[in-house]
Amino acid sequence: MNDEEQVPVRADEGTSAAGTWLELSIECDQEAVEAVSEILSRAASGGVSVEQPFTTEQEGLAASPILGAPATIRAYLPAIDMAAAEKAIAETRERLGHLTAFELRPIGQLQVREVHEEDWATAWKEHFPVMRFGSRIVIKPTWRDYDPAPDDIIIALDPGMAFGTGLHPTTRLCLVGLERWADEGIVEGASTFDVGSGSGVLAVGAALLGAAPVRAVDTDPIAVESTNQNAARNGVVVLASQGSLPIDNGPFDLVFANLVASILVELAEPLADTVRPGDGTTGSGGRLLASGIFIDREPEVRRAFAAAGLRVVRREQETEWVSLDLERPGP
Ligand code: SAH
């Protein structure tokens, strides 16, 4: 995602005063979404968006809709002619009032605030610092300067809308795990697979540490694009495609799966199949780093992996998130 894509309307299409817009927002029940969007769209030349409520805390990686919770409708109008804008807002309130009279479910209060395109496009970037993981992996947001230390492995990253900034504990656990693998000497030249690559942060990090070839899949096309862009940005090759398991190429020496517990359980068998089997002795098999495991779900994930023939080598935890480093010892 670039800056232009984050503003609601291109400045040359609208008539906003120096990129200032009025944002109208309102919460409403799912059943009223269509009618409320329609009413807001009459006032808003800058477009209307519907934000569905998702759970992101418990299972922070895979958003799932919260059934029955209200949606937020946002609409934008240029703040150039305030008299016209105020009239449009008054009309919107009136129409919403009529709607409430007929709707069975309640509609929230219409909120109005001023937003500035520039703040908007860059606000999130302020919360994204240069971050260090383990002793030498560093994520450097593309818009920040950083003076590298001699041993640093620097991942230049612009995650855009894809998951994988390094701000989330589950990603951090994977990067620390990657560094540990590198310290064990098993990353250089290792065939590597990243299931659910998001921004590509893990695949790119592995490639920078010498893993090759590196394959990545993600069900989300935005993530695939982000992975490709971040690989190019770092001058490494990651073969990214849209999809999931099973995968034809493989098995791989190293596999990352930073997904959620429920998906790890569901994919335990095909995931284990992507890991190179050893000769039956400890230390001879390929490795899987499974992350995104909310602590309550850990026993379930462990059972699924054990049944799929994987052995836990190491466990790490940050806050309530757990990662498991597993080996496929083989027959
Ligand atoms: N690897 C990154 C991103 C993890 S977020 C990191 O460690 O930060 C999880 C990603 O997995 C998301 O981009 C999501 O789109 C993707 N995903 C979710 N379920 C998937 C599945 N069944 N197969 C492949 N990708 C999946």
Side-chain angles (χ1 to χ4, degrees):
M1 177 176 55
N2 57 34
D3 294 352
E4 287 87 323
E5 285 163 337
Q6 292 205 336
V7 301
V9 181
R10 289 212 323 272
D12 58 358
E13 280 177 9
T15 46
S16 71
T20 302
W21 298 80
L22 292 178
E23 180 195 73
L24 314 188
S25 64
I26 186 164
E27 280 197 350
C28 72
D29 206 82
Q30 296 295 334
E31 287 159 33
V33 164
E34 207 174 311
V36 172
S37 304
E38 199 275 322
I39 290 174
L40 261 58
S41 69
R42 290 199 222 170
S45 60
V48 174
S49 72
V50 179
E51 274 167 34
Q52 291 294 350
F54 288 100
T55 47
T56 49
E57 284 310 314
Q58 270 274 314
E59 303 263 285
L61 305 182
S64 48
I66 308 169
L67 297 174
T72 304
I73 321 281
R74 293 183 201 278
Y76 299 92
L77 59 160
I80 188 161
D81 178 348
M82 285 309 282
E86 274 162 24
K87 183 163 173 275
I89 292 167
E91 283 167 7
T92 304
R93 282 196 206 279
E94 198 183 326
R95 291 190 184 112
L96 288 169
H98 291 161
L99 188 65
T100 354
F102 293 106
E103 280 290 325
L104 299 175
R105 304 294 200 113
I107 293 172
Q109 287 293 319
L110 185 70
Q111 310 285 336
V112 181
R113 67 178 186 125
E114 230 177 58
V115 290
H116 302 277
E117 276 176 18
E118 278 159 37
D119 303 346
W120 198 332
T122 54
W124 65 282
K125 294 187 171 179
E126 282 168 27
H127 302 288
F128 190 7
V130 173
M131 285 169 281
R132 179 176 288 279
F133 305 86
S135 59
R136 57 192 177 115
I137 297 181
V138 173
I139 291 186
K140 187 189 92 64
T142 48
W143 56 93
R144 292 205 186 272
D145 293 327
Y146 174 67
D147 201 6
D151 288 340
D152 281 353
I153 299 290
I154 295 175
I155 306 174
L157 203 73
D158 183 345
M161 276 163 62
F163 189 101
T165 56
L167 290 169
H168 199 276
T170 63
T171 308
R172 283 204 289 271
L173 287 166
C174 288
L175 288 167
V176 169
L178 167 64
E179 184 171 300
R180 218 172 28 240
W181 280 352
D183 292 344
E184 276 183 49
I186 59 171
V187 175
E188 181 91 46
S191 62
T192 300
F193 180 41
D194 184 4
V195 190
S197 59
S199 64
V201 58
L202 307 179
V204 169
L208 286 169
L209 282 160
V214 180
R215 279 277 279 129
V217 293
D218 200 297
T219 43
D220 180 354
I222 291 173
V224 176
E225 195 186 321
S226 180
T227 297
N228 281 326
Q229 285 173 354
N230 283 315
R233 207 165 258 145
N234 288 275
V236 294
V237 178
V238 173
L239 307 163
S241 56
Q242 191 185 353
S244 184
L245 295 172
I247 182 161
D248 291 339
N249 339 46
F252 300 86
D253 298 320
L254 303 175
V255 178
F256 294 97
N258 185 11
L259 301 163
V260 292
S262 55
I263 300 177
L264 291 171
V265 169
E266 191 185 311
L267 296 180
E269 286 283 344
L271 208 44
D273 287 343
T274 65
V275 184
R276 179 180 54 72
D279 59 13
T281 62
T282 296
S284 64
R287 301 276 276 276
L288 165 68
L289 195 59
S291 190
I293 306 164
F294 199 72
I295 194 157
D296 290 356
R297 313 288 296 270
E298 184 183 353
E300 203 185 318
V301 175
R302 281 177 175 260
R303 275 196 298 277
F305 282 142
L310 298 173
R311 190 182 69 84
V312 177
V313 176
R314 195 183 171 108
R315 171 191 188 275
E316 291 284 337
Q317 182 178 341
E318 187 185 324
T319 63
E320 288 161 306
W321 296 96
V322 173
S323 72
L324 297 173
D325 178 354
L326 302 117
E327 189 197 2
R328 185 174 176 198

